[in-house]
Amino acid sequence: MRFAHALTIVAVLVGGNVTLADYAPEPWNIAARKRFAAQRFGIFIHWGLYANYAQGEWYQQQIGVDTETYGRMMYGFYPSRFNARQWVRAFKEAGAKYVTITSRHHDGFSLWPTRVDDGYNIASTPFKRDILGELAEACRQEGLQLNFYYSLMDWHRKDYPAGTHAMKVLGPQRGDYASYKRFMMAQIAELIDSYHPGTIWFDGEWEHCRKAADMSRLRHEEDPSLLDWEFDDIYDLIHSKQVLVANNNHAKIREKEDIQLFERDLPGENATGYSVGQTVVQDRPIEQCDVIQTAVWGYRIEGRDFRSPEDICTLLVKAAAKDSNLLMNIGPNGAGELPDRALVALKGVGEVVLVPGVLHVEEVKHGHLRAHHAAELLHEAALLAVQLDEQAGLYPREVLPLLEHAHGVDGVYLPRVERLDDGGVLLLGPLGAYVVPALEPL
């Protein structure tokens, strides 16, 4: 990972005046970006009123219900089994280094007792407890970084200028962006001052974008007829409090955005169609976010398809090989519980990530994971050579005796193998998970 350490000054001389055209991150910002890049594995939490409906986080918009009707669930939101410490311990035991939670999702409901909204927040529920405050304290005690997702789009407020998705709930509401921006900035300042997150993670800008001919997303910068979010003001506020900025806008990264995000897509691959036009930058850390429950971020009761520990480890390694963090999402239910299948998957990941000499995703150098001991990597390579006959000639004969130390009941334990695009291989074997770079034939 390369980070800018110096300001490149572009001087534009107009009538004797000098204008600085480039943004330069401050030293605290550079250091915070490096710390984030080293964390490698985080847990994403999508949780709010929609957990009670148990149909996913887009339920309100998908059925087109008005905010008054949908919002009545606020008076029935009582997650009696919520235990922040248990959550965070499960995340830590899985090897995660940070947590990002939806402080406010698109439905506009806030998970903390904010003083700057119309009462549409946790304090108005029968539960009343400060969910973000309890989670912040649990993260502090367990040594995990807490970050906040914050939705730019809003299906509740009357001053929000409805875009392509919000219109289904709000109708063709023109809103008052100056008022809405003041509200957002007051909430963001409150979040940072109250809970001291590492990053504010934005989402929803894309509803005020339009598709170009090549399917990339055009924003106000490219099309002035689109909403101008005035991000400079918002980002400057966040940076003034020494907090990082990320924006999941599916478009090229801006100068003042500190983390490049890829939704359900390995950087540069555009496998899901969300990343058209997103080139991978080299001067900012990267994060891929993905789901543990298929095709949904919030809790969905009928969903039975969850990722296995092996699937998550594979994603971790593939992301790390592209110098990217992995943010794996879980949707708690309305009672405040993490789904059992998600807990089983996390436990399995922890058995790989936290065992000495196994997968250490923070130790990425030049796109390849380093084993703690070269012999262990050779051991895995030898197992691979046995499994893939056509690859046998790529590894020294001297490593073959290591097979006698292989795990397994009868004979050799063969690792799970996946070929990588660059000719290397991904190994999930008895000694952990490693990326073996492509080797030249001997």
Side-chain angles (χ1 to χ4, degrees), residues 10-11 18 71 78 88 103 117 128 133 195 211 308 325 332 348 361 365:
V10 178
V18 178
Y78 194 86
V88 174
S103 64
D117 73 353
K128 296 191 182 299
Y195 309 113
K211 295 287 184 68
S308 67
N325 288 14
V361 293
K365 296 294 182 185

Side-chain angles (χ1 to χ4, degrees), residues 138-404:
C139 285
R140 186 191 66 79
Q141 292 179 1
E142 296 294 335
L144 272 64
Q145 175 68 61
L146 180 62
N147 305 318
F148 292 137
Y149 168 113
Y150 188 89
S151 176
L152 296 164
M153 177 167 57
D154 190 293
W155 302 334
H156 171 75
R157 291 183 61 88
K158 301 302 183 185
D159 55 1
Y160 175 69
T164 53
H165 298 284
M167 282 184 185
K168 189 170 181 181
V169 176
L170 300 174
Q173 175 176 290
R174 297 187 65 178
D176 177 356
Y177 184 68
S179 170
Y180 184 68
K181 177 188 166 189
R182 286 194 298 271
F183 158 74
M184 284 198 300
M185 292 184 70
Q187 276 210 322
I188 291 165
E190 186 181 57
L191 278 170
I192 295 173
D193 293 343
S194 299
Y195 309 113
H196 313 292
T199 301
I200 299 295
W201 203 103
F202 290 112
D203 190 28
E205 179 191 353
W206 28 260
E207 88 144 352
H208 281 284
C209 296
R210 71 174 179 83
K211 295 287 184 68
D214 64 356
M215 300 305 291
S216 64
R217 285 175 170 80
L218 301 180
R219 305 168 300 187
H220 175 77
E221 291 94 323
E222 295 84 23
D223 183 350
S225 69
L226 298 170
L227 177 65
D228 182 1
W229 294 89
E230 301 172 9
F231 279 122
D232 273 353
D233 294 340
I234 298 171
Y235 293 172
D236 287 348
L237 168 69
I238 296 169
H239 284 157
S240 73
K241 296 177 180 292
Q242 298 196 2
V243 172
L244 297 179
V245 170
N247 190 339
N248 184 40
N249 55 18
H250 307 157
K252 63 183 181 181
I253 194 168
R254 297 181 176 94
E255 281 188 326
K256 293 183 180 180
E257 292 167 353
D258 301 300
I259 303 165
Q260 186 174 26
L261 303 179
F262 289 87
E263 181 175 345
R264 303 199 62 191
D265 188 22
L266 286 167
E269 294 192 359
N270 190 35
T272 59
Y274 291 132
S275 305
V276 177
Q278 272 191 273
T279 56
V280 180
V281 298
Q282 299 299 316
D283 64 343
R284 253 73 63 90
I286 302 169
E287 181 183 71
Q288 175 202 359
C289 60
D290 217 315
V291 292
I292 202 168
Q293 186 179 6
T294 300
V296 68
W297 299 88
Y299 179 70
R300 180 180 290 163
I301 193 169
E302 72 269 21
R304 294 290 183 269
D305 191 4
F306 283 73
R307 291 187 186 275
S308 67
E310 292 80 12
D311 290 337
I312 298 172
C313 285
T314 299
L315 273 175
L316 266 170
V317 175
K318 285 185 173 181
K322 289 180 175 288
D323 214 1
S324 172
N325 288 14
L326 176 67
L327 184 63
M328 180 54 62
N329 180 79
I330 301 172
N333 63 26
E337 300 169 309
L338 303 173
D340 288 341
R341 289 179 176 84
L343 288 172
V344 169
L346 290 180
K347 185 175 185 296
V349 172
E351 290 172 353
V352 173
V353 172
L354 295 180
V355 175
V358 186
L359 174 62
H360 288 268
V361 293
E362 71 273 16
E363 296 190 354
V364 176
K365 296 294 182 185
H366 308 299
H368 298 296
L369 297 179
R370 297 183 307 181
H372 280 264
H373 304 288
E376 293 178 349
L377 184 56
L378 290 175
H379 180 144
E380 296 285 18
L383 294 178
L384 175 65
V386 172
Q387 186 172 14
L388 301 174
D389 291 338
E390 71 274 17
Q391 293 285 325
L394 300 184
Y395 300 97
R397 293 181 180 273
E398 289 78 3
V399 305
L400 297 179
L402 292 172
L403 289 172
E404 66 186 46

Side-chain angles (χ1 to χ4, degrees), residues 23-41:
Y23 162 73
E26 297 180 22
W28 73 264
N29 187 292
I30 297 294
R33 291 179 184 182
K34 287 184 176 180
R35 286 194 300 272
F36 176 82
Q39 290 172 335
R40 288 301 178 201
F41 184 32

